[in-house]
Amino acid sequence: MATDLNPGNTPTLTLKSGTAWADAWQRCLAVAPEAFQDDRVLNLWGSAWRTDGRALPATSPVDGSPIAGPPRLDRDTAHQAVRASLDQHRAWRHVPLDERRARVAATLDALTEHRELLALLLVWEIGKPWRLAQADVDRAVDGVRWYVDGIDPMLDGRAPLDGPVSNIASWNYPMSVLVHAMLVQALAGNAVIAKTPTDGGLACLTLACALAAREGIPATLVSGSGGELSQALVRAPEIGCVSFVGGRDTGAAVATAVADLGKRHVLEQEGLNTWGIWNHSDWDALTAVIPKLFDYGKQRCTAYPRFVVQRQLFDEFLAAYLPAVRTLRVGHPLAVEQAEDPYPVLDFGPVINAAKAKELRDQVAEAVDRGAVPLHRGSEADARFLPGQDTSAYVQPVTLLNPPPSSPLHHAEPFGPVDTIVLVDTEAELLAAMNASNGALVATLSTDDRATFDRLAPQIRAFKVGHGKPRSRGDRDELFGGFGASWRGAFVGGELLVRAVTQGPAGERLPGNFPDYHLMP
């Protein structure tokens, strides 16, 4: 349950009872004392929780207050952890499927039992509103249950890899992307390694891995800088597969390494996902979807930060868009009027940190200075904050018309609540603008004529193209991948995720985007 907001007449707010970081931390100490010690978390490797690693300070994006920081390992210790994971892998791959299934199912039961604590940790560590934090946990649990129930035919004629799967993922979906992948990989017979994201999710992932390790899942969780640990987590000969989710710069370095080594890989990278408007008239449908596109401040790989609009429809587009974007609810995810009130309903809270907020504000200011037209700017006066709280990681929604080609907002994903609009006059211009980033994960084309959609959609370089509706990463049996620079390696989703982390017949060519071939499912 949650309360509606009244941003136009906001009373003095207070923190919801029992939701302080100190409350969450004490609960972690009680639930998993093996993984949480005093004021720090531990690394998990070699089937043991260890105090090694230099703990760095960290702050919550919610209000700038101190939270637990990552205990960074050095390169040599990371190599020891990888070798220990290989020993686990060699034993685990021979564990019968029924036992693996039982252990994964028991882990899911434990995650369900501690659902609210996992969600609260996500609020503090990465700034997710309560509704979205709970959804992240639920999608992980429900998604893995689907594999638990249907894994048998997916593994028919297949075997685990020769070494563990190494997971390097971004901070925005610790549960529904990273923990989900780890548990499916383990169900398929592999030991699993994960590096905690540098920017957030440490305590949530530590609790999830503690619950999994108790059930005998061969998991390794380590912290450290990408540069320091990449030699072990990407290039080490013990690694059977590298699974990466993140930006193109880091992804390109990982792609080069795995290509040189001929190593199995799944590399999901960002792209500029676009929403095209062409000969369209159902404006009510567009108005209804706009707020949903701002969930979590567009900090997700399937966000739509770019609208490509037919010039002659621009006035009607604005009439549908602006009223919707003005309804967005922003603020502290745990701020309520009375301490016992339900959690507030928000579209988004902070971005991941104050540095990212400054980067976005600077990019917007520079784009406007160079000719972009600001169409909408949210006001901090309408946001819900605690009295005197640090708001440096909050960015109010912004919409710009025609960002200049020199601006990063013209060609790259902002990963924040910034929309850009580009006007076009011809179908060729529409397609060129929708394909600005050499590949994307999702796209949508709103057009009244189905024949027009069927003709243009295949020319949009996105893995999934919606007809007037947003597309998402998907759950359970929905496939996922990317074109161009947005994806390298095996596609995932449904049976393909299992195939990506298992060995099939000799000479098998997995569906995916590889250096020497591209194969659709």
Side-chain angles (χ1 to χ4, degrees):
M1 295 293 293
T3 56
D4 289 329
L5 304 181
N6 183 18
N9 185 27
T10 304
T12 300
L13 302 177
T14 188
L15 193 69
K16 179 173 171 58
S17 178
T19 66
W21 170 256
D23 297 323
W25 186 256
Q26 288 302 314
R27 291 169 66 183
C28 289
L29 290 171
V31 171
E34 70 272 30
F36 297 85
Q37 186 178 93
D38 300 326
D39 61 349
R40 65 174 289 170
V41 302
L42 307 185
N43 287 298
L44 171 63
W45 62 271
S47 302
W49 291 96
R50 304 171 187 266
T51 58
D52 49 13
R54 181 171 63 94
L56 297 184
T59 58
S60 170
V62 170
D63 62 1
S65 60
I67 59 175
R72 293 194 166 198
L73 295 182
D74 58 35
R75 186 176 305 179
D76 290 341
T77 308
H79 276 289
Q80 293 181 49
V82 169
R83 287 192 288 270
S85 181
L86 178 61
D87 291 338
Q88 289 181 304
H89 180 84
R90 287 171 171 165
W92 179 253
R93 66 184 313 215
H94 297 296
V95 171
L97 175 57
D98 284 346
E99 183 177 343
R100 299 200 306 262
R101 184 181 5 239
R103 294 188 186 186
V104 171
T107 300
L108 297 178
D109 291 342
L111 294 175
T112 301
E113 179 183 353
H114 298 289
R115 169 183 183 251
E116 291 206 356
L117 177 54
L118 291 163
L120 183 58
L121 293 171
L122 291 179
V123 174
W124 280 109
E125 293 191 288
I126 62 174
K128 284 201 169 183
W130 182 250
R131 170 180 61 88
L132 299 177
Q134 286 187 306
D136 195 18
V137 178
D138 293 344
R139 286 183 63 185
V141 172
D142 295 344
V144 178
R145 284 199 194 279
W146 182 86
Y147 285 93
V148 167
D149 293 340
I151 191 67
D152 294 80
M154 301 183 198
L155 288 177
D156 187 29
R158 308 192 68 80
L161 300 174
D162 292 332
V165 182
S166 177
N167 295 271
I168 303 170
S170 58
W171 44 265
N172 52 342
Y173 285 91
M175 293 296 298
S176 63
V177 173
L178 183 50
V179 171
H180 176 278
M182 293 171 68
L183 292 178
V184 175
Q185 292 159 6
L187 181 63
N190 303 289
V192 292
I193 305 170
K195 186 182 92 65
T196 58
T198 302
D199 289 323
L202 170 69
C204 177
L205 283 169
T206 300
L207 178 58
C209 285
L211 298 174
R214 286 180 181 178
E215 304 301 336
I217 302 298
T220 295
L221 182 67
V222 295
S223 292
S225 71
E228 186 76 6
L229 301 192
S230 63
Q231 193 70 27
L233 300 185
V234 176
R235 293 181 173 272
E238 294 91 343
I239 298 296
C241 176
V242 176
S243 177
F244 170 87
V245 180
R248 288 195 178 183
D249 291 343
T250 304
V254 174
T256 299
V258 295
D260 290 345
L261 298 168
K263 196 182 294 289
R264 184 75 65 89
H265 58 283
V266 178
L267 310 181
E268 175 188 331
Q269 300 169 103
E270 65 189 17
L272 185 61
N273 305 317
T274 59
W275 192 300
I277 307 288
W278 189 261
N279 292 340
H280 175 71
S281 64
D282 188 359
W283 300 111
D284 288 344
L286 183 66
T287 298
V289 80
I290 292 299
K292 298 181 178 66
L293 300 182
F294 276 88
D295 272 357
Y296 194 34
K298 303 209 173 196
Q299 296 178 102
R300 60 190 193 279
C301 65
T302 54
Y304 287 83
R306 167 67 50 80
F307 288 90
V308 181
V309 182
Q310 189 176 7
R311 189 183 305 273
Q312 68 181 33
L313 297 179
F314 184 48
D315 57 337
E316 296 177 83
F317 170 83
L318 281 185
Y321 175 91
L322 290 176
V325 79
R326 289 172 183 144
T327 68
L328 293 174
R329 300 155 299 184
V330 184
H332 189 305
L334 303 172
V336 293
E337 295 180 21
Q338 302 293 329
E340 301 302 325
D341 282 351
Y343 290 91
V345 173
L346 296 172
D347 294 293
F348 60 93
V351 295
I352 187 57
N353 53 45
K356 179 61 179 179
K358 181 180 184 303
E359 175 189 290
L360 286 169
R361 286 192 288 264
D362 288 349
Q363 288 179 351
V364 169
E366 182 182 34
V368 172
D369 285 345
R370 296 184 179 183
V373 179
L375 298 176
H376 172 75
R377 287 177 174 171
S379 171
E380 188 167 304
D382 295 330
R384 291 172 59 93
F385 296 127
L386 298 179
Q389 78 160 81
D390 185 322
T391 61
S392 58
Y394 291 79
V395 177
Q396 301 306 310
V398 177
T399 307
L400 301 179
L401 174 66
N402 289 337
S406 59
S407 169
L409 298 176
H410 180 81
H411 54 78
E413 182 180 14
F415 231 65
V418 179
D419 271 351
T420 57
I421 300 171
V422 173
L423 302 182
V424 295
D425 296 297
T426 67
E427 289 184 357
E429 290 176 335
L430 174 80
L431 293 170
M434 294 189 72
N435 293 328
S437 67
N438 183 26
L441 302 175
V442 296
T444 291
L445 178 60
S446 289
T447 181
D448 293 345
D449 181 34
R450 180 72 202 197
T452 298
F453 175 82
D454 291 341
R455 178 167 49 82
L456 296 179
Q459 302 177 67
I460 299 171
R461 288 183 56 76
F463 191 78
K464 297 180 181 180
V465 181
H467 185 193
K469 297 180 181 180
R471 299 302 305 271
S472 69
R473 199 176 196 275
D475 290 304
R476 302 176 177 87
D477 58 351
E478 188 172 354
L479 307 180
F480 195 56
F483 291 139
S486 67
W487 196 280
R488 306 291 186 190
F491 295 150
V492 297
E495 182 183 0
L496 291 191
L497 174 55
V498 174
R499 290 174 66 183
V501 295
T502 54
Q503 300 183 79
E508 177 185 42
R509 283 160 50 101
L510 294 174
N513 187 23
F514 293 92
D516 54 344
Y517 74 88
H518 180 96
L519 179 63
M520 290 298 292

